[in-house]
Amino acid sequence: MGLPELTSEDRAAAAGAALAARRRRAEIKEQLAGGEVTIAQVLALADTDKSLAKMRVVDLLEAIPRIGPVRAQAIMEQLEIASSRRLRGLGERQRRGLVELFEGM
């Protein structure tokens, strides 16, 4: 079973939806970096926002000031989060761990 053939209109609609999702994720990362939203708020938004639900956890962590790739990976290992995990796929313990870790920041 191959991929379905898409019309040019379908491809354009899919490209537009992908662009909107990337913009939404970039907007949230910018707000997180600026301190306008918290990790808890982003996780709550991801429950209803499909574009945020598909954001990788490592990308979210790296958007936080003073957290780079090495520190993000250490946090993920500490909380037992796979490097490919998306916000939608986080378990309750992992979500709680992220929120508790960044409450004081």
Side-chain angles (χ1 to χ4, degrees):
M1 177 153 79
L3 294 174
E5 287 294 320
L6 297 178
T7 65
S8 59
E9 293 85 18
D10 290 340
R11 277 193 298 279
L19 179 62
R22 285 192 301 272
R23 284 185 176 155
R24 176 70 174 138
R25 289 191 291 267
E27 173 188 321
I28 288 296
K29 288 193 286 188
E30 205 172 279
Q31 290 176 354
L32 188 61
E36 299 170 40
V37 296
T38 65
I39 289 274
Q41 291 169 324
V42 174
L43 292 174
L45 283 172
D47 289 338
T48 57
D49 188 330
K50 274 201 253 185
S51 58
L52 289 182
K54 293 181 180 181
M55 179 188 287
R56 292 181 344 158
V57 176
V58 69
D59 292 336
L60 180 71
L61 291 175
E62 289 177 7
I64 300 169
R66 298 184 323 268
I67 304 238
V70 172
R71 193 159 178 217
Q73 189 59 41
I75 290 168
M76 292 180 64
E77 287 175 11
Q78 173 189 347
L79 296 175
E80 298 177 358
I81 300 172
S83 60
S84 62
R85 181 68 60 203
R86 309 226 175 229
L87 296 184
R88 173 187 298 160
L90 287 174
E92 188 56 41
R93 183 183 52 78
Q94 294 166 328
R95 286 172 160 260
R96 191 173 43 251
L98 282 171
V99 170
E100 289 172 0
L101 187 62
F102 291 102
E103 269 181 347
M105 295 182 120

